[in-house]
Amino acid sequence: MSATAASLVSYGSDSDSENESNLNTDVEKVDLADPDAMAHLKPLKSIPTMSVAVLNSAPEVAVKEAVETGTHLDPSLKEVTYNPTFETMFAPEFGPINPFKSQQMAAPRNMLSGYAEPAHLNDFMFEQQRRTFSTYGYALDPSVDTHQVSCSSYIGAVDEAEKNKGLTVFESGQKKSEKRKKIKGGEAGEIDNFLGPWAKYIDEKDGAKPSEEEQKELDEIIAKRQKKGKNEEDAPAEEKTILHVKDMYDYQGRSYLHVPQDVGINLRSADAPDKCYLPKKQIHVWSGHTKGVSAIRLFPSSGHLLLSSSMDCKIKVNNHNMVPLKKHHRSHSKAVRDICFNNTGTQFLSAAYDRYLKLWDTETGQCISRFTNRKVPYCVKFNPDEDKQSLFVAGMSDKKIVQWDIRTGEVVQEYDRHLGAVNTITFVDENRRFVSTSDDKSLRVWEWDIPVDFKYIAEPSMHSMPAVTLSPNGKWLACQSMDNQILIFGAQNRFRLNKKKVFKGHMVAGYACQVDFSPDMRPKSFLAKR
C-alpha cells in the first residue's frame, strides 16, 4: 500500500510540473507587437446585417374552434345510407388539398381511366351504328338524345352525314313507291261479298264491257247466287205470351209468384230434412210441350213454380198445384237449349239455337232485352252474388264464355281458352270462381272477371262432361261423363278427382243426363235423370 501511494504522488507531481513549464514557455513565445495576436481580446466591429425569413415547415391545421361540427362525406363513397342536405353533399373536401394533382386527376372518376356512367343501348342499334361508321364514316353521338337528332348529333364524317341525311346501312336513300290500293272485299266470313286477292285496284279500268245480252245473263247468275246464299232473317222472332188462367192476381192482389202457404209445407224454410228417400211412385205429369224438354228449373228458394224449355221453341211456367200450364211464352224462332232464374225469380234468361239470349219478366211474360254475338249459346248462368245480378255468362259454340251486362246490353268480358263448344258453367267457392266443361274433354276453373283459367284438368282417359251439379254443401262437383260414369271432383282448393267416388252402372247412350243431389247429402242420394 505504501508503494502504491508513493507512485500516485509522484505521478501527480510530475504532470503538474510539466504543465506549468509548458505554459510558461508558451507565454514567453507570444509577441505583443503583432496585432493579430491580440485580436481575440478586442470587441467586434459593427457590420450591416441581413434579415432572414422565418420558414414554417408545418401545414396549416384548423383550430378546434374553427372546425365544423357537421357531418362530412367521403367523396369515394358510392352509397349513402341517409338523406344528406345540399350543403353536406356539395361541401368542399375535408383536409389539405394535394397541390400536385393535375386537372385530369382532380376530375371526378369512378375508375382508373375516368368516369363511367351506366347506360343501356339496344344490341341492334349498337350494331347498326357500328356498321354505319365502318361503311360511311359517321355515327350518331351516343351522348345525344335520339329524339333531338340534328347535324351536330353525329360524330366522324359530319359532312357525309349531312349529305346522306343520316341514313344507316340498313336504310336506303330511295323511297319505295307506294303500292296500288285494292278495293276492300269485305270479311272472309262473307262468302258472297269477299273478294280476297282477286279484288281490283282502285285505279284499274276495264278494257272491255260486256254486251247487253251478256250483261243480262250475268245479272241473272248473280241474282241466283245471291238468292241461294242468302242468310236467313237475322231479326229475332216475335215474342208472344199466353195466360192460361182467368185472373193473374188473387183477391189480395198477389200474383202467382207469391209463395203459397196453404200446401201443408213451409216452402220458405231453408233447413234441409233429416233424411231423404228415393221417390217410389209417380205423382204427376206436366204436359204441353210437343217436343223434347231441354231444361227444367225450379223457382228459387220455394220451388213452387216449374220453368221448362223445349225443342218446340217454347218456355212454360207450371204451377205448384199441378195446373198444367200457368203461362206460355212463345219465345224463340228455334229450339231453346237452356234457361236460368235470377236469385229472386222475378226474371229469367233463355238461350236458343236462333243465336239469341233473351231476358224475360217472370210475372208478365214480357221480353225485357235481347243479347247476341252471332254465335249459338249452349248454356247461360246469372252471377249468384246479390251485387252482381246485372251480370251473366253464357257458354258459346265458338269455344268462348261471354260475359254480358244487362244494364248496357254489351259484352264486358270474354273467357277464351277452351278448344271446343262450352257445355256447362257452375259457380263455386262462394261465387268467386266458376267451373266450365267443354267438348274438348276438359274442365277449367276460372276466377270471376279474369279471362285466364288458373286450373286445367284434362286426362287422356277423360270424356266430355255435358252436365255438372254442385253439392248443397259446396264441396263436391258431380259430373256426368259420356263414358257411362259419374265423376266426383273436389270443388275447393285443388279441384282434384276423387277416384274412390266413381259411380257406374247406367247407360248414357249419347244423352246429356243431368245429375242432382238430395238435400241431406247421404250416400247414394243423387240421381242421374234423362
Side-chain angles (χ1 to χ4, degrees), residues 51-72:
S51 62
V52 180
V54 180
L55 177 63
N56 186 7
S57 60
E60 293 185 4
V61 180
V63 186
K64 184 178 180 181
E65 288 76 10
V67 175
E68 296 181 7
T69 57
T71 306
H72 293 272

Side-chain angles (χ1 to χ4, degrees), residues 294-313:
S294 59
I296 298 173
R297 301 288 181 264
L298 291 173
F299 195 82
S301 301
S302 62
H304 70 287
L305 294 179
L306 190 70
L307 181 68
S308 62
S309 62
S310 172
M311 297 297 172
D312 60 0
C313 314

